Amino acid sequence: MELVAGCYEQVLFGFAVRPEPKASEDHEKWTPVADFTHHAHTASLSAVAVNSRFVVTGSKDETIHIYDMKKKIDHGALVHHNGTITCLKFYGNGHLISGAEDGLICVWDAKKWEYLKSIKAHKGQVTFLSIHPSGKLALSVGTDKTLRTWNLVEGRSAFIKNIKQNAHIVEWSPRGEKYVVVILNKIDVYHLDTASVSGTITNEKRISSVTFLSESVLAVAGDEEVVRFFDCDSLTCLCQFKAHENRVKDMFSFEIPEHHVIVTASSDGFIKMWKLQQDKKVPPSLLCEVNTNSRLTCLGVWLDRATDVKESLPLAAQPSHVSK
């Protein structure tokens, strides 16, 4: 397994982590070892995404760089956007979807690394996008104060919802039955069947990252040292813990045998890996930490898995002209 994080200083860091022999059940530790630094961009990194073979990074230099994790080499760059790359999402190993300040959502073939199509998604910038677990739908938010639903099978807009302010994060739940939209320090919880807000969670400070730990539990980080776990049904805070000495910039959660893990990256330069407890009212325990001595901006975890079930999007994604 490898923790990867981008920073303001234009570098992508990679740290291989492996468990130490257990001293006891209560004192489990993992060891991070510096594996690579990749300096492909000419401006700060703004987004990172990972599939079973590659790590891709987006930057304020308007390019997407591809790093081959198996060979540990630069695999080239994707150039189509004009403006900072704001979000990158893989769907399985077959497709990469990117969003940027130019208002475009682009779809890329992640095997041949070819540009397939682009959608003029927002009148302003695309600030975030999230792909439904089925691969058939995506949600995007932008600086035009809209939340847009995309039919990825047909590559067209399915639904546009006007919201009162600019949202900066949107995220599907693991089963895709609900999604959250983040505006400043507020999280609106939507249910897919009604497409309406079922409740609102309020965080102390502006939110920088959210990640679902289960269908109902959401981890929330923001412009503070604390991470909170919220229940999306009761809208209550289950627990909170001090994760860093500075604001938490990004989080990533995943499950491996016997472990449910959350990783946090902060402006303080640290990447930390935490083991989640079964009861989410109990704060997680620290598995390992590493200091990059850089101002971290984005985070991913590469799990060396031989195959990924979700090979590709059900896209009618032949190379095509820009669709309006």
Side-chain angles (χ1 to χ4, degrees):
M1 162 192 332
E2 195 117 1
L3 308 179
V4 292
C7 64
Y8 281 110
E9 291 83 3
Q10 307 171 8
V11 174
L12 177 73
F13 295 99
F15 294 91
V17 286
R18 49 187 67 88
E20 290 179 14
K22 279 190 181 178
S24 73
E25 280 299 319
D26 299 330
H27 293 89
E28 188 175 357
K29 289 288 178 195
W30 291 54
T31 308
V33 179
D35 190 35
F36 70 88
T37 55
H38 185 227
H39 196 156
H41 292 284
T42 57
S44 62
L45 275 69
S46 49
V48 63
V50 182
N51 73 1
S52 64
R53 176 74 185 265
F54 297 101
V55 173
V56 293
T57 52
S59 166
K60 289 190 173 178
D61 66 11
E62 308 183 355
T63 66
I64 299 165
H65 269 269
I66 310 157
Y67 190 73
D68 187 325
M69 289 297 290
K70 298 278 171 97
K71 296 180 179 176
K72 295 289 192 292
I73 56 166
D74 190 320
H75 197 73
L78 304 174
V79 183
H80 191 82
H81 287 289
N82 293 306
T84 298
I85 311 299
T86 54
C87 43
L88 294 166
K89 300 285 176 183
F90 274 110
Y91 187 78
N93 292 321
H95 291 90
L96 173 72
I97 301 185
S98 59
E101 286 183 347
D102 56 10
L104 293 181
I105 288 175
C106 292
V107 182
W108 309 85
D109 182 321
K111 286 191 160 60
K112 299 175 185 171
W113 292 110
E114 291 175 349
Y115 162 77
L116 295 175
K117 65 164 66 178
S118 59
I119 302 164
K120 181 61 180 159
H122 289 271
K123 287 177 183 151
Q125 304 168 8
V126 178
T127 49
F128 213 87
L129 63 90
S130 181
I131 303 168
H132 189 269
S134 68
K136 293 176 181 177
L137 289 175
L139 293 168
S140 68
V141 287
T143 55
D144 55 2
K145 297 181 184 173
T146 64
L147 164 66
R148 296 176 184 243
T149 308
W150 301 96
N151 179 329
L152 290 178
V153 181
E154 297 173 13
R156 62 173 179 81
S157 174
F159 188 70
I160 301 170
K161 182 179 177 63
N162 292 308
I163 44 184
K164 289 175 182 159
Q165 290 170 282
N166 290 327
H168 61 282
I169 299 171
V170 62
E171 197 71 64
W172 287 104
S173 64
R175 291 204 300 264
E177 292 170 8
K178 60 171 73 82
Y179 53 92
V180 293
V181 175
V182 179
I183 300 167
L184 299 173
N185 69 324
K186 289 191 163 34
I187 302 164
D188 286 332
V189 182
Y190 289 77
H191 280 270
L192 180 60
D193 51 2
T194 60
S196 60
V197 179
S198 62
T200 300
I201 292 164
T202 304
N203 196 46
E204 296 272 319
K205 299 275 179 76
R206 184 185 185 276
I207 295 160
S208 55
S209 180
V210 300
T211 185
F212 275 96
L213 306 179
S214 68
E215 190 64 20
S216 59
V217 179
L218 186 71
V220 179
D223 289 350
E224 55 188 329
E225 302 87 3
V226 170
V227 172
R228 294 183 180 86
F229 296 166
F230 286 97
D231 186 305
C232 288
D233 298 326
S234 66
L235 309 175
T236 55
C237 181
L238 300 174
C239 80
Q240 67 176 53
F241 62 98
K242 184 181 177 182
H244 291 272
E245 296 302 321
N246 206 323
R247 60 186 176 173
V248 180
K249 291 291 287 184
D250 205 359
M251 295 186 296
F252 191 95
S253 69
F254 62 94
E255 290 186 65
I256 50 176
E258 298 176 30
H259 288 80
H260 190 179
V261 176
I262 186 168
V263 185
T264 56
S266 166
S267 300
D268 66 9
F270 278 87
I271 307 168
K272 297 189 182 186
M273 198 165 123
W274 310 82
K275 182 178 180 179
L276 293 162
Q277 311 301 328
Q278 201 116 34
D279 182 357
K280 299 301 181 285
K281 291 178 182 175
V282 180
S285 56
L286 185 66
L287 288 170
C288 69
E289 61 181 13
V290 61
N291 189 1
T292 64
N293 295 302
S294 297
R295 292 170 297 164
L296 299 176
T297 55
C298 49
L299 173 72
V301 177
W302 180 70
L303 301 166
D304 190 1
R305 288 174 172 159
T307 57
D308 193 324
V309 183
K310 298 181 292 192
E311 272 298 301
S312 62
L313 289 168
L315 273 159
Q318 300 307 314
S320 67
H321 300 295
V322 175
S323 52
K324 297 293 181 197

